[in-house]
Amino acid sequence: MNEIIQAFFQAIELIITLDPSVMEITLRSLIISFSATLIATVIAIPLGFLIQIHEFYGKKMVINLVQTLYALPTVIVGLFVFVFISRAGPFGFLRLLFTPTAMIIAQTILILPIMTGLTISALTGVDPTIRDTIRSLGANTRQYLGLLVREARFAIIAAIMLGFSRAISEVGAAIMIGGNTQTSAFWTSTRVLTTAISLETSMGNIEFSMALGIILLSIALVVNLVMMRVQQR
Amino acid sequence: MIEIAGISKQFGVKEVLREVNATVQEGEIFAIIGPSGSGKSTLLRIINLLEQPTGGRVLFDGTDIHAAADQSLALRRSMGMVFQKPVVFSTTVFENVAAGLRIRGMSKAAIRERVEAVLEVIGLADRAEQGARTLSGGEMQRVAIARVLVTDPALLLMDEPTANLDPLSTETIEDLIRTINREYGTTLLIATHDLLQGQRLADRMGVMIDGTFAQVGLPHEIFSAPRTRGVARFVGMENIIRGRISACEQGLATVDAGGRQVMAPTPLLVGESVSLCIRPEDVTLFLPGTEAGSARNVFGGTVQAIKALGPFRHVGVECGFSLAALATWKAVEELGLHAGSEVQVAFKASAVHVVRDEER
């Protein structure tokens, strides 16, 4: 028990003293997951709109499929991306395997379904009378969509936040695609919070793992607080 | 201004509107009254271009609104619609009211001026910066009215604007509707299931039953001379008795109903199947053997049931047909009536409104 407490205090110390390797891993984690969230936002929100506002054959099926993929296992995404970018794969020539870029791609794919699905829910959640009101006021298509986004904005922001949370906390794809490498340069290394915790723990560096774990939890906490503030307004 | 010509609408196999015809004059308040689910909302939604009719046309100052696809946005911007459910955008009161003007690309200064003026009219000027979602239902509905009013519509459509509101808010909204019509000369088309609201507000009204106008006319015409059984029932004619005209002399017919001969004025001819509409307040009660006054129709019967109704008693009598009478509780007490009592019912020929039975 004493050892755990001791490790905990050492972890706090690592954070307070801004230990360079802790900071580097944290920063890399944030950059990779922010990038993935940004790309996924640009794809998922318009996609959610397209699915929601159009009536087409098989729409229910598509929404069902998207919702099923909320639970997409991260290792499946890892496997999927791996076969495409490994040396023998169709995109092998790009030499993306074990790079931060590949991790961004994997995380984007991972969070696309949940962000698309939640965008659809956000739009569906707008009162039909509000939609009629917008149309009745004489809005053209562009104005209609603009006002619809404004009405659904809190739910859409929540979708983005949730996507980010899932991206930064996943470990399966990150380790398969990134490989948890540590090189001399910041941009060629792929060690992020989750993969580092996994590796350092198995190597017995409990205090280091704990420090990264506390940071990971704090990020989740901050995201949650921001989300709550947004929704209360 | 608005000519509704043979409008019909089907949702799948369900026929919601059939052959609806009516004309709305410029500057009038026209009420569409009818029970819930009779198709009132659908008709308003068709006029507001939110639905396409299955058949027929709506002419707005001569333009077939559903045929002019390139003009639909301009047409929609020349009218406004207030929905039954009070809804506001999740922003401030000011921005809610400004929404239609922003859509029309009006300048900031002009928007401010017009929104402030309208907020004054609806009495929410001091709450312009408040979040609209924090308002009460009645206030939200006022914002919804202001939101369309500010765009200066030539035609204002209102779908049950007070159905979700308490009596006090309803009164405020009704006052507002009258003000809009008087001050701005706006033509209003209001759907309501509340007959009395229709009577309070409308210059003319149409009674919609089963997806079509059973009668269009002045409120007093509809109340005093309903044209069909359905309208009679909707306007509160409680006694509707089926019969057949057996004789007719100078506009006064003898109608065979349940073995009794009822005298009633009608231009209809011998042999027609008719319904006799009699308001319970026009029926008087007497004890058997006493003088029943000058009424042409006097029948003996048995009291079936007596129900309290505010200061009145509602007396159901079986006299060959069922007839309801409305009397003061005092009168009922003096006559000593109770279920099973023998009684005489009397009503004037002029109290009977004769309706030809519909073929359906």
Side-chain angles (χ1 to χ4, degrees), chain B residues 94-142:
Chain B
F94 185 94
E95 281 305 317
N96 261 277
V97 178
L101 300 178
R102 293 214 193 285
I103 283 170
R104 285 159 181 76
M106 199 173 268
S107 79
K108 268 194 166 154
I111 289 176
R112 178 150 290 279
E113 191 182 324
R114 288 177 75 160
V115 171
E116 279 171 358
V118 170
L119 284 176
E120 205 68 55
V121 175
I122 63 159
L124 288 175
D126 53 332
R127 296 160 80 176
E129 293 311 316
Q130 192 175 327
R133 284 269 168 92
T134 62
L135 299 175
S136 74
E139 289 164 342
M140 280 191 200
Q141 196 63 312
R142 269 145 71 193

Side-chain angles (χ1 to χ4, degrees), chain A residues 45 48-50 52-54 119-135 139-156, chain B residues 89-90 103 133:
Chain A
I45 290 176
F49 256 91
L50 281 176
Q52 159 63 23
I53 66 174
H54 287 99
T119 301
I120 294 171
S121 307
L123 296 175
T124 312
V126 175
D127 191 321
T129 307
I130 283 278
R131 282 185 251 174
D132 282 342
T133 302
I134 299 173
R135 289 209 287 152
N140 59 31
T141 309
R142 192 179 50 79
Q143 292 168 328
Y144 174 77
L145 294 178
L147 283 167
L148 204 58
V149 172
R150 194 179 73 178
E151 285 308 299
R153 62 190 183 275
F154 300 137
I156 290 176
Chain B
F89 299 128
S90 56
I103 283 170
R133 284 269 168 92

Side-chain angles (χ1 to χ4, degrees), chain A residues 56-219:
Chain A
F56 55 89
Y57 184 75
K59 177 173 173 171
K60 276 220 174 87
M61 279 271 287
V62 170
I63 294 176
N64 237 316
L65 182 71
V66 168
Q67 285 173 344
T68 306
L69 293 179
Y70 284 9
L72 186 61
T74 60
V75 287
I76 301 286
V77 176
L79 174 64
F80 178 79
V81 175
F82 186 91
V83 296
F84 274 87
I85 64 169
S86 68
R87 202 161 269 210
F91 298 107
F93 64 93
L94 292 173
R95 299 193 173 271
L96 285 172
L97 193 60
F98 305 136
T99 64
T101 311
M103 294 171 76
I104 292 172
I105 294 170
Q107 290 190 354
T108 303
I109 293 171
L110 179 72
I111 64 179
L112 263 180
I114 196 159
M115 287 176 62
T116 308
L118 290 178
T119 301
I120 294 171
S121 307
L123 296 175
T124 312
V126 175
D127 191 321
T129 307
I130 283 278
R131 282 185 251 174
D132 282 342
T133 302
I134 299 173
R135 289 209 287 152
S136 178
L137 283 171
N140 59 31
T141 309
R142 192 179 50 79
Q143 292 168 328
Y144 174 77
L145 294 178
L147 283 167
L148 204 58
V149 172
R150 194 179 73 178
E151 285 308 299
R153 62 190 183 275
F154 300 137
I156 290 176
I157 289 170
I160 297 170
M161 298 278 194
L162 225 73
F164 176 75
S165 296
R166 180 147 160 83
I168 202 160
S169 61
E170 74 87 22
V171 58
I175 212 148
M176 286 169 78
I177 301 302
N180 196 34
T181 62
Q182 182 70 20
T183 65
S184 51
F186 181 83
W187 284 119
T188 50
S189 301
T190 57
R191 180 165 294 191
V192 291
L193 288 168
T194 50
T195 58
I197 291 172
S198 162
L199 184 78
E200 297 297 334
T201 306
S202 66
M203 284 168 38
N205 291 332
I206 302 297
E207 69 284 351
F208 195 77
S209 284
M210 272 194 183
L212 299 181
I214 291 166
I215 290 171
L216 192 54
L217 270 178
S218 310
I219 293 171

Side-chain angles (χ1 to χ4, degrees), chain B residues 142-325:
Chain B
R142 269 145 71 193
V143 168
I145 292 173
R147 192 166 49 204
V148 292
L149 195 58
V150 79
T151 64
D152 195 16
L155 173 69
L156 186 48
L157 307 164
M158 294 185 144
D159 186 7
E160 299 268 11
T162 63
N164 288 5
L165 305 180
D166 60 88
L168 206 65
S169 303
T170 299
E171 210 180 307
T172 315
I173 300 283
E174 285 183 6
D175 284 341
L176 191 54
I177 290 171
R178 276 187 217 98
T179 309
I180 292 166
N181 178 249
R182 217 176 30 236
E183 308 276 314
Y184 301 79
T186 312
T187 310
L188 281 113
L189 196 49
I190 303 172
T192 176
H193 69 274
D194 181 350
L195 183 68
L196 298 177
Q197 179 169 65
Q199 192 185 19
R200 283 195 296 271
L201 293 175
D203 297 313
R204 288 194 308 138
M205 50 197 207
V207 184
M208 182 161 279
I209 292 173
D210 292 338
T212 197
F213 279 129
Q215 187 170 3
V216 176
L218 300 172
H220 81 261
E221 286 173 357
I222 286 166
F223 277 94
S224 60
R227 227 169 46 200
T228 68
R229 275 176 72 90
V231 177
R233 193 170 306 122
F234 186 70
V235 300
M237 291 279 195
E238 204 189 327
N239 296 306
I240 301 176
I241 301 147
R242 282 191 194 278
R244 180 182 289 274
I245 299 177
S246 59
C248 202
E249 202 177 317
Q250 290 176 340
L252 191 67
T254 307
V255 181
D256 225 15
R260 303 285 188 160
Q261 309 295 312
V262 180
M263 308 293 281
T266 176
L268 297 176
L269 301 174
V270 173
E272 294 254 31
S273 290
V274 294
S275 289
L276 306 173
C277 308
I278 307 159
R279 291 187 178 275
E281 56 268 35
D282 287 333
V283 178
T284 16
L285 299 169
F286 298 93
L287 285 178
T290 58
E291 184 53 51
S294 63
R296 296 291 288 267
N297 298 299
V298 181
F299 308 113
T302 316
V303 174
Q304 299 291 307
I306 300 177
K307 279 183 284 187
L309 200 72
F312 299 104
R313 291 287 181 272
H314 180 274
V315 184
V317 178
E318 176 57 46
C319 58
F321 44 81
S322 291
L323 191 70

